[in-house]
Amino acid sequence: MQFPESWLRAFCNPPLTSQQLADTLTMAGLEVEELRPVAPPFSKVVVGEIKAAEQHPNADRLRVCQVDVGQGALLNIVCGAPNARVGIKVPCALVGAELPPGDDGKPFAIKLGKLRGVESQGMLCSARELKLSEDHGGLLELPADAVVGRDIREQLALDDMLFTLKLTPNLAHCLSVYGIARELSAITGAPLQAPSFPAAPVALAERLPVRVEAADLCGRFSGRVVRGVNTQVQTPAWMVERLARCGQRSVSPLVDISNYVMFEFGRPSHIFDLDKIHGGLQVRWGRAGESLKLLNGNTITVDAEVGVIADEQAVESLAGIMGGDATAVSDDTKNIYIEAAFWWPKAIAGRSRRFNFSTDAGHRFERGVDPSTTVEHIEHITRLVLEICGGQAGPIDDHVVNVPQPRPVTLRVARASKVIGMPVSQAQCADTLRRLGLPVQEGEGTVTVTPPAYRFDLQIEEDLIEEVVRLIGYEQLPTTPPLAPITAKIRPEARRGPFALRRQLAQLGYQETINFSFVEARWEHELAGNADPIKLLNPIASQMSVMRSSLVGSLIAALKFNLDRRAERVRLFEIGRVFRKDASVADSDTSVAGFDQPMRVAGLAGGPVNALQWGEAERVADFFDAKGDVEALLAPRRAEFRAAEHPAMHPGRCAAVWLDGRCIGHVGELHPRWRQAYDLPSAPVLFELELDAVLARPVPVFQGVSRHQPVERDLALVVNESVTHDAVLSAIRAAGGEWLRDAVLFDVYRPKKGAPAGNLAADEKSLAVRLVLNRDDATLTEEQIEATVAAALAALQQRTGARLRT
């Protein structure tokens, strides 16, 4: 919220400088985000009056003006402004003046010079040249009562400071100059100039019929008829200036009056053109199919969730947010209806965002506006209308339907001391709350407050404690070190951190990507096989409507994004959280009942295995490349890879990753269906694993180095084409006994088509496996070696049907 310091000091004027005032407000919870003067620094600019203006002898667009600046002699100044004429008073920069920097960033110095042969002894200024506004259509015309020769900064109060406050949502009572002055008076003890609202003279008996049909929408509706107004008069300069310094441009006198009262007292109101209202007004919820053209030119469709003000024919206003174009005041308006109402905050909150705009009125009403002052503020608006636009007023019609009932809130002094962190007395608490204008009742160790109508934020004990500490001053809080010892949480040795995993993936050639947890619903159905994803009530975009239960969709989308930008080789990984419905999850500090939120790590490789090089033949990354990366991540533990199916992966090139007896994820090639759907030049390979399983690692255990040399035996095994490498090695390790140290596949042989196959059938292959045997306490004998090999062959024969190749 922006406002000028002079307006604030008209209500409360403590003996503080501008900077001290800003610091005081900030330390009381009303953060001053910016403090700046109305105009940037400039010097030697005074009020001048044009006494004569003649055509320049050598230029059609220039005039030679004789200007009185209070020095006795008139100054000869050449001016090109279209409104330079005799009798007006304007800013005049004297010789030696320095104007605010222009587009080049350098101050503009005024010197004695000649323009087309005529001497110019200064410069007449526009508002833009003084950086007062962007208006550069002509000279800045000053009021007729401006004092000739007076410094323009003094004349226009340009040393007035502009305060910009960043208010939290609970400070709705400070969304006005008077509201901030009320807080300032409580903080500093300076007297508050309370406003008075004398009743406007009633010259008419006319009332507009009003019916409030929705008590949960509108709690109070007040209004009055005013006839015979002149809307073509000029808004007073003092009001235009104050509005401008609040960041609001002048529109028309009636609109300016309404905006002025909103900034002054925080009361949004609306002025209807009475002659455009058909019959009476109805305050109700909208109905399906109704539409309204707003003052901003947008046409919206309302429904039963939006409050409206309607007449007998159509909807005329969006309740508490914006008026309609059909009943807007204009230069032809003669008769008006002034409305001020209390709209329930819950009935206004979020409605503006449905239509993709926001208003000052909606901003205030959804936080809470005082329902007790609608009549007083209508009297204030009426008085301004009669003074500026003339007319005759009718009686105020006040409908009190359903206003909030104050509920007492009790503060326990002992509790306040504990929360604040410093001792406070009951007298301090009571005095502080009284300074805020709150009615206080004291008990034994308690202070009870009945919140006034303008304090919607005082609902629980902690709200009162906040008020106490705000007024005492946050800077008064003691610096107290924590009493409990602080000990670092040491990660167990059997677990590595996510950062180490990121480094390892980067060493494998992957680059990290971070994606939204909100994804397309289509991804969940197609790529994760999740028929019931977690849906968002208010998605940030229509295509991001559900929470992801898999990282695969985000990686494929990132791959597509990179391929579209001619990135031929893509390696991506992500470590992130996924979200699934799970009724077994209980509510706790780190979980939400009914929702499982595990961490996953996923990777994707698309395009060539290697970057451009000459050492190897180029090939596209395949299943075994991804499988090797998974094995590297899990090393030194050995996972088991079992053929499996996954919605996102090729049914014949997909494996489930099993570790310690449970499935921790999948690895495989992208399904041909999705490769075609995403228009990918080749099928990428990908994996997704449970992060906890990947982070776990065995603690190294000391083992002495054997003093005896290992023994190696090579086996050439003939197996059926369907037998997997894992099945062969599992059979060998199961029967190898305590002396088997390792088993490694080092060759695969399949006969070429048409070539003699020897003793291999058409559906068979030959696997060459090397067994490494060793014994720590003695040298292995030939009998022991042969017994171990024989046991392995027997297990292979039984479990895989393997035989030795001859």
Side-chain angles (χ1 to χ4, degrees), residues 86-306:
V86 175
I88 65 170
K89 294 179 179 179
V90 296
C92 178
L94 306 178
V95 173
E98 274 199 0
L99 299 186
D103 295 335
D104 59 357
K106 298 179 181 178
F108 185 66
I110 304 300
K111 301 177 181 178
L112 184 67
K114 289 187 177 182
L115 291 176
R116 295 290 184 96
V118 177
E119 186 178 63
S120 184
Q121 300 170 324
M123 174 180 169
L124 304 182
C125 303
S126 68
R128 185 178 185 182
E129 288 159 342
L130 298 179
K131 299 298 182 184
L132 301 182
S133 73
E134 291 301 314
D135 182 14
H136 62 287
L139 301 176
L140 173 61
E141 297 188 25
L142 303 175
D145 60 355
V147 180
V148 172
R150 188 181 188 186
D151 190 292
I152 198 68
R153 300 192 72 89
E154 182 181 353
Q155 177 66 44
L156 298 180
L158 298 183
D159 291 323
D160 194 5
M161 301 296 287
L162 295 182
F163 283 69
T164 301
L165 267 60
K166 186 177 181 181
L167 299 175
T168 52
N170 64 310
L171 296 176
H173 60 287
C174 295
L175 286 170
S176 65
V177 177
Y178 180 72
I180 296 166
R182 186 168 49 204
E183 289 288 304
L184 184 61
S185 175
I187 298 165
T188 63
L192 177 67
Q193 300 297 323
S196 61
F197 303 102
V202 177
L204 304 172
E206 182 180 359
R207 297 174 185 265
L208 181 69
V210 174
R211 188 170 70 254
V212 179
E213 299 179 358
D216 57 341
L217 166 66
C218 179
R220 186 175 186 181
F221 192 95
S222 307
R224 84 178 333 157
V225 172
V226 179
R227 288 191 173 273
V229 297
N230 178 12
T231 57
Q232 298 187 13
V233 298
Q234 292 292 322
T235 304
W238 60 269
M239 183 178 287
V240 172
E241 177 188 290
R242 280 187 170 177
L243 287 174
R245 293 181 182 185
C246 289
Q248 178 69 50
R249 66 181 182 87
S250 175
V251 179
S252 66
L254 292 177
V255 175
D256 291 346
I257 290 170
S258 179
N259 287 333
Y260 181 83
V261 174
M262 179 179 69
F263 285 114
E264 187 176 27
F265 296 114
R267 166 66 61 191
S269 59
H270 187 61
I271 300 178
F272 294 85
D273 188 323
L274 181 64
D275 298 326
K276 297 177 182 177
I277 298 176
H278 305 91
L281 294 179
Q282 306 164 16
V283 181
R284 57 175 173 80
W285 293 105
R287 296 166 185 163
E290 290 183 324
S291 62
L292 169 66
K293 185 178 181 182
L294 298 170
L295 288 173
N296 61 8
N298 294 346
T299 299
I300 62 170
T301 300
V302 302
D303 55 29
E305 298 294 322
V306 179

